[in-house]
Amino acid sequence: MGYSVKEMVETFAKVNGVEIPYVFAPRREGDLPAFYADPKKAEKILAWQADLSLSDMCCDAWNWQKNNPNGYDR
């Protein structure tokens, strides 16, 4: 299962109640038309499995950013 950039932007905006302005533009030189990640190696080696929905992940990402506007302390 995969998500388009548009689906991710729309989900992020919806679950966090924020407006995200965006424009459609031509692909830049070097941009891949599609790419995928396969978590099977992480499951095999680390016994880790992703179990959150896209909505959950977008909500968590925004909560972290709001609480850490300057990123990690160094």
Side-chain angles (χ1 to χ4, degrees):
M1 177 163 126
Y3 300 102
S4 69
V5 173
K6 185 174 184 271
E7 286 174 301
M8 293 183 71
V9 169
E10 289 173 347
T11 299
F12 192 98
K14 179 180 177 183
V15 300
N16 293 303
V18 296
E19 184 177 335
I20 302 174
Y22 62 90
V23 296
F24 289 96
R27 187 176 297 131
R28 301 167 298 183
E29 184 177 337
D31 281 350
L32 298 173
F35 55 95
Y36 305 88
D38 184 349
K40 289 179 188 167
K41 188 172 184 178
E43 184 175 358
K44 180 180 178 184
I45 294 173
L46 304 172
W48 178 86
Q49 193 171 353
D51 56 15
L52 297 177
S53 69
L54 179 60
S55 294
D56 292 333
M57 291 183 278
C58 288
C59 189
D60 284 350
W62 185 237
N63 284 333
W64 186 90
Q65 185 61 49
K66 287 189 302 186
N67 291 317
N68 301 280
N70 299 314
Y72 291 105
D73 291 331
R74 294 181 193 235

